[in-house]
Amino acid sequence: MTAPVITREQAFTNARRVLDQARARRDADRAAGRLDPGVELILRRLERQQRQQAPAAPLRTAA
């Protein structure tokens, strides 16, 4: 029972690739207006929460 084993890094790379593909499909559907209105509402709510949780950008003073 010596099956090939993938490394942790390769597993993360594969998972990231699949996630990026799913996000690209979602974004394309959203841009084309093909998302269910309920899903669109959920996405907007999540985006608003993420913006509120993001640290504020430091203010820059004029040089």
Side-chain angles (χ1 to χ4, degrees), residues 9-52:
E9 292 78 19
Q10 187 61 46
F12 277 106
T13 300
N14 293 347
R16 173 60 62 192
R17 181 179 45 80
V18 171
L19 181 60
D20 288 344
Q21 289 173 345
R23 285 180 173 159
R25 282 192 307 271
R26 179 206 59 205
D27 292 344
D29 287 346
R30 190 176 187 188
R34 292 187 295 246
L35 287 185
D36 179 76
V39 173
E40 180 68 30
L41 181 64
I42 291 169
L43 289 174
R44 288 177 189 238
R45 186 178 305 136
L46 289 171
E47 290 168 348
R48 185 173 49 249
Q49 289 174 352
Q50 287 178 348
R51 283 192 305 269
Q52 290 172 350

